[in-house]
């Protein structure tokens, strides 16, 4: 099905002494994809100033990437099946590097948005082929478990590395290097792929569902564009209403087409299962709040509190550490003994409680007393949720559906992040505008009122995110009725860039 499906390797496990070096190449590519979700967040305030982006449009630096990545991920897996994993892997690396160079050289906001969309498209080729190459390189169960452990650790720590690297590059070079840094990583990985990775030729009988990709991706883009245009135009504007209605219509057409397509991108029987559908919805909604925190906290720390990019990156580290602890030390240990929803529901409640701290932000909030507790609770809650979501969504799936199911979890994550970032950014900017208009009576206080309005906008948007988190917990409690798995998911692939 998708590029994550296990296939036979041309080189039996254990016969190639260089296979662990091949893992380094695969992990390097995965790190680059994960890194890019957070490294640009830290650079965003600098990029916005340099390219003159509006507050309403800045979210496209994030959503252009996540939309293309999530919208094309299922198609990317199919392409890997058609033309071969290694070839797709190399094409993805070269394309990602080229898009990164274009973004780093951007002279306008539109050029940067386009480059980020291209990055996402090539990441959609790269991610499933990397995971598939991992499964074909390591066919021995013991070795595969170890390889997945290393791969998962890099996926989990990628955001931490991204925050620190983004801060260092932005502060000591400039924001453009947060994109240029991908070029040497990709070059090393390309040479390593040619020297170390093996793969069978592609399967010529695989069919690509191009109409499905156009309908699905087009519907998502229309909805996100509609959310972003609601900020300058208003929610009742005809263009905004047309975009939102058109997006819903395209997604409805996507579902209709998947029932009739000879080789559908998303076989609908996968999402008809109650537990899997609950997991997909929980993941998509949970990530809405998390992406919102990345965006708003980056601006709050740098613009409102005056943190340097490096200090901002370090400020996010407790969140990443808490996610890793919640996922690997709590969820992974408890999941064999508890029903998944017994972890997912408390996880979402913990995450929502963490975000409640952020609803109390002022222009002079204290990091240790107000931000740090919220970041730790949010991270633990997300960590508790991610592991059971992925393990439950992929449990009991037929071998020929395993790849597309794994890719669907990752797609729900990227799509949730895209829609959530656009929606919350619009809520924040419109709330800021309304606050400033209502409170600006003394022109001499304009700067202070604008700062207060910006923070007010963030807190309003975060209240919405708290509600969405609680909705995710409710869905998990009502829909995910599976019992404890028989075995701990020690070698289950992790979602792309969960942290």
């Amino acid at each position: 099905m998708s590029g994550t499906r296990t296939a036979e390797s041309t080189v039996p496990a254990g016969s190639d002494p260089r296979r662990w070096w091949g893992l380094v190449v695969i992990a390097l590519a995965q790190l680059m994809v994960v890194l890019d979700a957070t490294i640009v967040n830290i650079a965003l305030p600098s990029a916005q100033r340099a390219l003159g982006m509006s507050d309403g449009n800045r979210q496209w630096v994030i959503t252009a990437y996540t939309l293309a990545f999530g919208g094309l991920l299922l198609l990317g897996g199919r392409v890997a099946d058609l033309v071969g994993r290694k070839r797709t892997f190399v094409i993805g690396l070269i394309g990602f590097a080229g898009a990164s160079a274009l973004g780093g050289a951007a002279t306008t906001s539109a050029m940067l948005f386009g480059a980020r969309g291209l990055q996402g498209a090539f990441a959609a080729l790269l991610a499933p082929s990397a995971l598939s190459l991992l499964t074909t390189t390591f066919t021995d169960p013991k070795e595969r478990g170890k390889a997945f452990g290393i791969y998962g650790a890099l996926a989990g720590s990628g955001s931490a590395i991204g925050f620190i690297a983004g801060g260092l590059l932005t502060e000591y070079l400039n924001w453009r290097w947060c994109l240029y840094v991908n070029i040497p990583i990709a070059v090393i990985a390309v040479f390593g792929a040619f020297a170390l990775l093996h793969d069978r030729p592609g399967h010529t009988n695989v069919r690509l569902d191009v109409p499905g990709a156009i309908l699905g991706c087009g519907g998502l883009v229309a909805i996100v564009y509609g959310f972003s245009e609601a900020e300058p135009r208003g929610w009742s504007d005809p263009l905004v209403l047309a975009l939102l209605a058109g997006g819903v219509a395209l997604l409805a057409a996507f579902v209709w087409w998947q029932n009739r397509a000879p080789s559908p991108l998303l076989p609908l029987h996968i999402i008809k299962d109650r537990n899997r559908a609950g997991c997909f919805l929980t993941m998509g909604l949970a990530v809405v709040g998390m992406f919102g925190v990345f965006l708003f906290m980056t601006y709050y720390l740098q613009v409102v509190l005056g943190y340097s990019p490096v200090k901002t990156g370090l400020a996010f580290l407790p969140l990443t550490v808490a996610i890793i602890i919640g996922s690997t030390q709590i969820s992974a240990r408890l999941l064999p003994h508890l029903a998944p929803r017994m972890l997912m529901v408390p996880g979402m409640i913990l995450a929502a409680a963490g975000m409640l701290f952020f609803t109390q932000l002022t222009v002079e909030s204290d990091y240790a007393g107000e931000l740090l507790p919220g970041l730790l609770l949010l991270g633990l809650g997300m960590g508790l949720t991610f592991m059971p979501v992925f393990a439950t969504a992929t449990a009991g799936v037929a071998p020929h559906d395993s790849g597309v199911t794994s890719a669907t979890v990752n797609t729900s994550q990227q799509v949730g992040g895209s829609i959530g970032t656009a929606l919350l950014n619009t809520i924040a900017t419109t709330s800021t505008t309304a606050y400033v208009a209502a409170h600006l009576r003394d022109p001499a206080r304009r700067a202070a009122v604008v700062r207060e309005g910006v923070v007010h906008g963030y807190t309003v948007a975060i209240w919405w995110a708290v509600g969405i988190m609680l909705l995710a917990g409710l869905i998990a409690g009502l829909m995910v009725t599976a019992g404890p798995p028989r075995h701990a998911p020690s070698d289950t692939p992790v979602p792309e860039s969960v942290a």
Side-chain angles (χ1 to χ4, degrees), residues 339-353:
R341 64 178 171 181
M342 297 300 290
L343 293 168
M344 294 161 65
V345 174
M348 285 294 89
I349 293 172
L350 261 184

mmCIF file of all heavy atoms in Angstrom, residues 339-353:
data_model
loop_
_atom_site.group_PDB
_atom_site.id
_atom_site.type_symbol
_atom_site.label_atom_id
_atom_site.label_comp_id
_atom_site.label_asym_id
_atom_site.label_seq_id
_atom_site.Cartn_x
_atom_site.Cartn_y
_atom_site.Cartn_z
ATOM 1 N N ALA A 339 -6.404 -0.245 29.239
ATOM 2 C CA ALA A 339 -7.060 0.090 27.976
ATOM 3 C C ALA A 339 -6.489 1.420 27.470
ATOM 4 O O ALA A 339 -6.201 2.316 28.274
ATOM 5 C CB ALA A 339 -8.562 0.211 28.188
ATOM 6 N N PRO A 340 -6.299 1.559 26.152
ATOM 7 C CA PRO A 340 -5.676 2.785 25.626
ATOM 8 C C PRO A 340 -6.352 4.070 26.082
ATOM 9 O O PRO A 340 -5.683 5.065 26.384
ATOM 10 C CB PRO A 340 -5.792 2.601 24.111
ATOM 11 C CG PRO A 340 -5.829 1.123 23.909
ATOM 12 C CD PRO A 340 -6.556 0.574 25.096
ATOM 13 N N ARG A 341 -7.684 4.065 26.177
ATOM 14 C CA ARG A 341 -8.355 5.311 26.548
ATOM 15 C C ARG A 341 -8.082 5.704 27.999
ATOM 16 O O ARG A 341 -8.256 6.860 28.370
ATOM 17 C CB ARG A 341 -9.853 5.220 26.303
ATOM 18 C CG ARG A 341 -10.600 4.198 27.139
ATOM 19 C CD ARG A 341 -12.083 4.262 26.815
ATOM 20 N NE ARG A 341 -12.827 3.158 27.425
ATOM 21 C CZ ARG A 341 -14.129 2.992 27.267
ATOM 22 N NH1 ARG A 341 -14.811 3.836 26.511
ATOM 23 N NH2 ARG A 341 -14.755 1.981 27.845
ATOM 24 N N MET A 342 -7.634 4.739 28.823
ATOM 25 C CA MET A 342 -7.280 5.049 30.202
ATOM 26 C C MET A 342 -5.992 5.870 30.279
ATOM 27 O O MET A 342 -5.662 6.439 31.314
ATOM 28 C CB MET A 342 -7.115 3.760 31.013
ATOM 29 C CG MET A 342 -8.379 2.941 31.119
ATOM 30 S SD MET A 342 -9.733 3.859 31.919
ATOM 31 C CE MET A 342 -9.132 3.930 33.596
ATOM 32 N N LEU A 343 -5.261 5.918 29.179
ATOM 33 C CA LEU A 343 -4.090 6.792 29.072
ATOM 34 C C LEU A 343 -4.417 8.040 28.257
ATOM 35 O O LEU A 343 -3.991 9.149 28.591
ATOM 36 C CB LEU A 343 -2.929 6.040 28.412
ATOM 37 C CG LEU A 343 -2.332 4.884 29.224
ATOM 38 C CD1 LEU A 343 -1.400 4.050 28.351
ATOM 39 C CD2 LEU A 343 -1.581 5.407 30.441
ATOM 40 N N MET A 344 -5.204 7.853 27.191
ATOM 41 C CA MET A 344 -5.487 8.966 26.284
ATOM 42 C C MET A 344 -6.343 10.048 26.928
ATOM 43 O O MET A 344 -6.071 11.248 26.781
ATOM 44 C CB MET A 344 -6.152 8.432 25.008
ATOM 45 C CG MET A 344 -5.232 7.549 24.168
ATOM 46 S SD MET A 344 -6.115 6.487 22.985
ATOM 47 C CE MET A 344 -6.826 7.703 21.901
ATOM 48 N N VAL A 345 -7.374 9.638 27.659
ATOM 49 C CA VAL A 345 -8.272 10.629 28.282
ATOM 50 C C VAL A 345 -7.542 11.439 29.354
ATOM 51 O O VAL A 345 -7.566 12.675 29.321
ATOM 52 C CB VAL A 345 -9.541 9.953 28.841
ATOM 53 C CG1 VAL A 345 -10.382 10.970 29.598
ATOM 54 C CG2 VAL A 345 -10.358 9.326 27.705
ATOM 55 N N PRO A 346 -6.852 10.784 30.329
ATOM 56 C CA PRO A 346 -6.079 11.587 31.279
ATOM 57 C C PRO A 346 -5.006 12.425 30.596
ATOM 58 O O PRO A 346 -4.704 13.535 31.050
ATOM 59 C CB PRO A 346 -5.446 10.535 32.200
ATOM 60 C CG PRO A 346 -6.312 9.340 32.076
ATOM 61 C CD PRO A 346 -6.819 9.354 30.668
ATOM 62 N N GLY A 347 -4.432 11.897 29.510
ATOM 63 C CA GLY A 347 -3.418 12.655 28.784
ATOM 64 C C GLY A 347 -3.965 13.964 28.243
ATOM 65 O O GLY A 347 -3.347 15.027 28.384
ATOM 66 N N MET A 348 -5.142 13.911 27.647
ATOM 67 C CA MET A 348 -5.737 15.133 27.101
ATOM 68 C C MET A 348 -6.163 16.096 28.209
ATOM 69 O O MET A 348 -6.070 17.314 28.055
ATOM 70 C CB MET A 348 -6.938 14.767 26.221
ATOM 71 C CG MET A 348 -6.565 14.176 24.870
ATOM 72 S SD MET A 348 -5.716 15.358 23.773
ATOM 73 C CE MET A 348 -3.999 15.117 24.199
ATOM 74 N N ILE A 349 -6.622 15.552 29.338
ATOM 75 C CA ILE A 349 -6.995 16.425 30.458
ATOM 76 C C ILE A 349 -5.751 17.111 31.030
ATOM 77 O O ILE A 349 -5.765 18.316 31.329
ATOM 78 C CB ILE A 349 -7.733 15.616 31.554
ATOM 79 C CG1 ILE A 349 -9.094 15.147 31.020
ATOM 80 C CG2 ILE A 349 -7.911 16.443 32.820
ATOM 81 C CD1 ILE A 349 -9.824 14.187 31.940
ATOM 82 N N LEU A 350 -4.655 16.360 31.150
ATOM 83 C CA LEU A 350 -3.389 16.949 31.612
ATOM 84 C C LEU A 350 -2.913 18.049 30.657
ATOM 85 O O LEU A 350 -2.483 19.128 31.082
ATOM 86 C CB LEU A 350 -2.310 15.870 31.705
ATOM 87 C CG LEU A 350 -1.983 15.245 33.057
ATOM 88 C CD1 LEU A 350 -0.826 14.275 32.909
ATOM 89 C CD2 LEU A 350 -1.638 16.323 34.074
ATOM 90 N N ALA A 351 -2.983 17.749 29.350
ATOM 91 C CA ALA A 351 -2.534 18.730 28.350
ATOM 92 C C ALA A 351 -3.397 19.987 28.422
ATOM 93 O O ALA A 351 -2.876 21.114 28.350
ATOM 94 C CB ALA A 351 -2.589 18.121 26.955
ATOM 95 N N ALA A 352 -4.719 19.814 28.548
ATOM 96 C CA ALA A 352 -5.609 20.972 28.659
ATOM 97 C C ALA A 352 -5.309 21.765 29.925
ATOM 98 O O ALA A 352 -5.312 23.008 29.916
ATOM 99 C CB ALA A 352 -7.070 20.510 28.657
ATOM 100 N N ALA A 353 -5.007 21.062 31.027
ATOM 101 C CA ALA A 353 -4.654 21.747 32.267
ATOM 102 C C ALA A 353 -3.374 22.562 32.092
ATOM 103 O O ALA A 353 -3.258 23.688 32.598
ATOM 104 C CB ALA A 353 -4.483 20.731 33.402
#
